[in-house]
């Protein structure tokens, strides 16, 4: 049984196949079936993109909350996985603890998809790769600069995807904010000069969900890594990407994210297309 918990588990051919399916006509791989969408964290893009992707594939999405499932309190993860598989063709979950996804996958007879965990965000990574390919006409050899907090789930999935498909990723972040388990081939530096020559400049919030207690320290540590017009001028032909939600005036200025070199709305739309491609790939496996 194939699952999608992290991009690290996928070969380059698998990633390429998902990206091709993201732009292909939808196949009714979920016709007459449900898709269990379990959310421990709220999300505008993840819920909307997944529900529409499931619908486009002929399925019926069912939104589930912790109060409804009672994972590890009212019922074991394994029993919940087996129960949901009685009704659904796929189980997708947005969780705090990546281990919950691993437990679901170990017990589930249907594919399990990571909608975000504390360590990985594979569907965002796929959407990023799809957007880069659309903007640049290729992925291999594209120079990507990820600026700011580089030790998070978004940066990790992007790094895994870039390493697999040959994009040249540099994480530009101060010490303590660089990716702790960067794949081979991913460069890391605190020098903002590394942005020069990039084809893509990528940023994310400085304070993510659940980090409010660290906000003052993180804002001070990362203030110099705001993507503003001066930073983008170092590589004037680059496109700007952001996984959203964004905080204008913190990690990025309004002039950049709302400017002519921003592709964040194409990137957001691609969350739906890449989710559809991933589901088609999983459900078409022998």
């Amino acid at each position: 049984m194939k699952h999608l918990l992290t991009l690290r588990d996928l070969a380059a051919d698998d990633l390429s196949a998902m990206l091709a399916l993201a732009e292909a006509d939808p196949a009714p791989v979920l016709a007459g079936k449900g898709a269990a969408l379990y959310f421990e964290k709220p999300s505008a893009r993840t819920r909307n993109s997944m529900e529409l992707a499931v619908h486009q594939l002929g399925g019926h999405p069912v939104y589930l909350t912790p109060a409804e499932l009672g994972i590890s309190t009212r019922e074991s993860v394994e029993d919940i996985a087996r129960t949901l598989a009685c009704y659904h063709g796929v189980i997708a979950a947005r969780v705090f603890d990546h281990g919950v996804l691993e437990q679901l996958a170990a017990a589930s007879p249907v594919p399990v998809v990571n909608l975000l965990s504390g360590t990985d965000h594979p569907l965002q990574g796929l959407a990023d790769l799809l957007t880069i390919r659309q903007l640049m006409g290729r992925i291999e050899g594209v120079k990507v600069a990820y600026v700011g907090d580089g030790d998070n789930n978004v940066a990790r999935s992007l790094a895994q995807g870039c390493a697999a498909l040959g994009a040249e990723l540099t994480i530009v972040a101060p010490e303590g904010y660089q990716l702790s388990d960067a794949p081979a081939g991913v460069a890391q530096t605190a020098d903002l000069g590394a942005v020069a020559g990039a084809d893509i400049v990528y940023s994310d919030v400085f304070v993510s969900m659940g980090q409010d207690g660290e906000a003052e320290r993180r804002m001070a540590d990362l203030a110099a890594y705001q993507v503003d017009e001066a930073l983008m001028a170092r590589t004037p032909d680059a496109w700007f990407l952001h996984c959203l939600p964004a905080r204008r005036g913190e990690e990025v200025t309004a002039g950049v994210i709302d400017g002519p070199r921003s592709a964040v709305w194409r990137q957001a739309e691609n969350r739906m297309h890449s989710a559809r491609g991933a589901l088609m790939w999983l459900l078409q496996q022998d």
Side-chain angles (χ1 to χ4, degrees):
M1 175 57 60
K2 290 279 191 179
H3 303 289
L4 179 54
L5 306 188
T6 170
L7 296 188
R8 183 180 59 248
D9 297 337
L10 299 174
D13 287 349
D14 296 331
L15 286 169
S16 296
M18 288 188 194
L19 296 178
L21 288 169
E23 296 185 307
D25 292 335
V29 293
L30 280 169
K33 299 178 182 179
L37 308 182
Y38 173 61
F39 281 73
E40 292 180 353
K41 296 181 176 183
S43 173
R45 277 154 296 281
T46 300
R47 181 174 180 181
N48 281 277
S49 61
M50 279 299 295
E51 289 200 7
L52 267 295
V54 168
H55 175 74
Q56 290 164 2
L57 299 177
H60 178 74
V62 177
Y63 182 82
L64 298 165
T65 67
E68 291 166 318
L69 292 190
I71 284 184
S72 297
T73 54
R74 191 171 67 246
E75 200 165 1
S76 71
V77 176
E78 292 77 12
D79 284 357
I80 287 171
R82 296 183 186 107
T83 298
L84 292 176
C86 293
Y87 320 120
H88 300 288
V90 64
I91 299 169
R94 184 177 174 91
V95 298
F96 289 93
D97 181 4
H98 190 81
V100 172
L101 287 160
E102 294 174 332
Q103 288 178 275
L104 286 168
S108 175
V110 301
V112 172
V113 177
N114 181 0
L115 299 180
L116 175 143
S117 68
T119 59
D120 293 84
H121 201 349
L123 292 184
Q124 180 66 58
L126 286 172
D128 297 341
L129 294 170
L130 181 61
T131 306
I132 290 168
R133 191 178 71 178
Q134 290 173 346
L135 293 172
M136 302 301 302
R138 70 190 197 286
I139 295 174
E140 186 174 6
V142 172
K143 296 181 178 180
V144 182
Y146 187 102
V147 181
D149 178 14
D151 193 23
N152 61 30
N153 47 18
V154 171
R156 180 169 291 104
S157 291
L158 178 65
Q160 292 165 356
C162 286
L165 294 181
E168 299 175 17
L169 173 64
T170 300
I171 293 176
V172 184
E175 291 187 15
Y177 294 88
Q178 296 178 5
L179 189 58
S180 55
D181 54 349
V186 172
Q188 302 198 82
T189 180
D191 182 8
L192 285 164
V195 170
D199 301 303
I200 304 289
V201 176
Y202 196 126
S203 185
D204 191 5
V205 293
F206 291 163
V207 183
S208 297
M209 192 180 302
Q211 296 177 330
D212 293 341
E214 308 170 31
E216 185 175 351
R217 173 181 61 81
R218 294 177 68 85
M219 290 297 297
D221 290 346
L222 293 165
Y225 292 82
Q226 181 188 75
V227 178
D228 57 13
E229 289 82 349
L231 187 67
M232 291 296 290
R234 300 187 186 203
T235 183
D237 294 327
W239 292 96
F240 176 74
L241 298 182
H242 193 300
C243 60
L244 301 175
R247 296 179 179 173
R248 289 165 175 80
E250 293 184 9
E251 77 277 3
V252 63
T253 61
V256 170
I257 194 170
D258 299 321
R261 301 300 295 178
S262 173
V264 298
W265 307 118
R266 175 185 290 208
Q267 185 185 8
E269 179 181 336
N270 279 337
R271 287 290 305 277
M272 177 179 66
H273 302 313
S274 59
R276 191 177 63 242
L279 291 173
M280 289 170 67
W281 181 82
L282 285 167
L283 293 164
Q284 289 177 347
Q285 301 297 304
D286 292 334

